[in-house]
Amino acid sequence: PHSSSGSDRLMPQPGAWRLEDSEPLLRAAWEGHVPAVVSLAPDELTTLERPRELFLMLPRQGYLPYAATRAVYDHFGAHAPPCLDEVWFEFDGTPLRWNVPIGVLVDQCVGVDDGSSHPWRLTAHFSNFPSEILLRGGGVMDTAATAAHYINTLKESTYLRFGSTQPIMSLSTDAQRQLQRAVEFGRFDDYAAVRAQLLPHAPVTDERRRKVRLAIRLCQDDGPWIQPALSVLDEDGVKPRVLGDVLCAALPHANSEKVALIHGVPAPLNAPVDWLSAACAHPDGFLYVVVRSRIQPSANTS
């Protein structure tokens, strides 16, 4: 199985960036999964017999609490200490943020994949929660914190893209629940039906595009996430910003040996960011771009 989505097969030729062609790419991104193997932290084993590793196919668009936490409780619970806190995951010694989409975590950990990183090897912990690094709430059986985080992040991205949270605030309770369950269970059609209610019904004018902001988050190597305050159009208010321009503005010291990953695929720097957002944004409405070296050696490849 391939860790990237099918988006690399559907990326248009340079110059053919039509918003109406973005939905097949969005659907392909939803179909992307990551083969993963989860093991219990050795110092937390409480039985003589070591449990077998847990094999999972993790959706790139999902979150660890939805896709892995319950399975980890069920699989390792009898071999681990009583979980008085929360389950949490690490990769190669680095705690993984449950509030970041799984595919983005993979891109951060692996970079451009040469095939040696499959499966993605994770370690599950039942104790010693790193509260100085991770938010609380995502490692319990109740996924209410994950659902609340998702909706709050969607509100933020909606405000950036449309200048108001009204589109999401006007959704019915059933529609919001449908969104949450679509992300939890990977139901693209359910997501797309509600997403259509969030999009503007009238054509977006250039004047409007000058005022709204890009809902984009960038991360270079192991650095912090950057959310540049940039409009959809360039400084002259004429042309849509392309990805290369955004990277130069937000990460001026990135060198040519780096590559910008979106859904595990090197992204074309001449692509308009509003097109990338329409085609490749995660369900929370943000376009995540991970800037990494072209090949990232991993210590967890066995």
Side-chain angles (χ1 to χ4, degrees):
H2 200 274
S3 66
S4 70
S5 64
S7 53
D8 50 343
R9 302 188 305 272
L10 298 174
M11 194 68 74
Q13 295 298 315
W17 313 105
R18 300 189 308 172
L19 289 176
E20 57 267 31
D21 295 334
S22 62
E23 184 162 332
L25 192 60
L26 185 66
R27 180 182 289 274
W30 270 74
E31 295 172 353
H33 284 73
V34 180
V37 178
V38 185
S39 59
L40 179 65
D43 60 345
E44 297 183 19
L45 180 64
T46 60
T47 59
L48 293 176
E49 181 183 0
R50 184 166 185 81
R52 293 177 298 173
E53 294 174 317
L54 175 63
F55 291 79
L56 298 170
M57 287 295 289
L58 302 177
R60 290 189 63 94
Q61 296 279 35
Y63 296 91
L64 286 171
Y66 286 152
T69 297
R70 182 177 296 275
V72 163
Y73 272 106
D74 292 342
H75 189 80
F76 295 118
H79 303 271
C83 189
L84 303 178
D85 207 330
E86 299 184 29
V87 164
W88 57 282
F89 299 88
E90 68 164 272
F91 170 81
D92 202 16
T94 300
L96 298 178
R97 297 170 58 191
W98 62 264
N99 53 320
V100 173
I102 291 170
V104 181
L105 292 174
V106 174
D107 293 348
Q108 285 185 282
C109 293
V110 177
V112 177
D113 184 23
D114 63 355
S116 65
S117 62
H118 295 320
W120 193 35
R121 292 190 171 272
L122 305 181
T123 301
H125 293 266
F126 280 68
S127 60
N128 301 315
F129 185 85
S131 56
E132 72 283 0
I133 300 174
L134 304 180
L135 291 177
R136 292 192 176 275
V140 297
M141 295 288 278
D142 184 357
T143 57
T146 307
H149 164 77
Y150 167 66
I151 290 296
N152 287 335
T153 308
L154 182 59
K155 289 177 182 177
E156 181 181 356
S157 67
T158 300
Y159 181 82
L160 291 170
R161 289 180 294 159
F162 306 125
S164 170
T165 59
Q166 187 60 35
I168 183 69
M169 298 299 292
S170 62
L171 288 178
S172 67
T173 300
D174 287 344
Q176 291 194 30
R177 187 178 297 112
Q178 180 174 326
L179 269 180
Q180 295 166 5
R181 293 181 68 81
V183 175
E184 181 174 1
F185 297 106
R187 299 169 180 167
F188 175 77
D189 290 333
D190 288 351
Y191 164 77
V194 181
R195 176 178 178 267
Q197 301 178 43
L198 301 177
L199 300 177
H201 298 293
V204 180
T205 64
D206 283 349
E207 181 62 28
R208 184 68 172 171
R209 297 173 82 195
R210 294 186 188 99
K211 295 179 179 178
V212 297
R213 295 290 179 261
L214 295 172
I216 184 171
R217 290 175 172 175
L218 312 171
C219 180
Q220 180 173 247
D221 297 322
D222 298 325
W225 282 99
I226 299 172
Q227 193 169 305
L230 297 173
S231 62
V232 174
L233 300 181
D234 61 15
E235 287 80 358
D236 297 328
V238 177
K239 296 181 180 179
R241 292 185 191 271
V242 298
L243 180 59
D245 294 340
V246 173
L247 295 180
C248 286
L251 302 170
H253 301 298
N255 59 51
S256 59
E257 296 301 316
K258 302 289 186 177
V259 60
L261 294 178
I262 299 177
H263 294 300
V265 178
L269 299 183
N270 66 331
V273 179
D274 58 347
W275 187 93
L276 287 172
S277 294
C280 303
H282 277 265
D284 63 10
F286 276 96
L287 177 68
Y288 291 86
V289 183
V290 178
V291 180
R292 296 301 305 265
S293 299
R294 292 189 175 274
I295 296 295
Q296 288 292 325
S298 173
N300 261 337
T301 58
S302 58

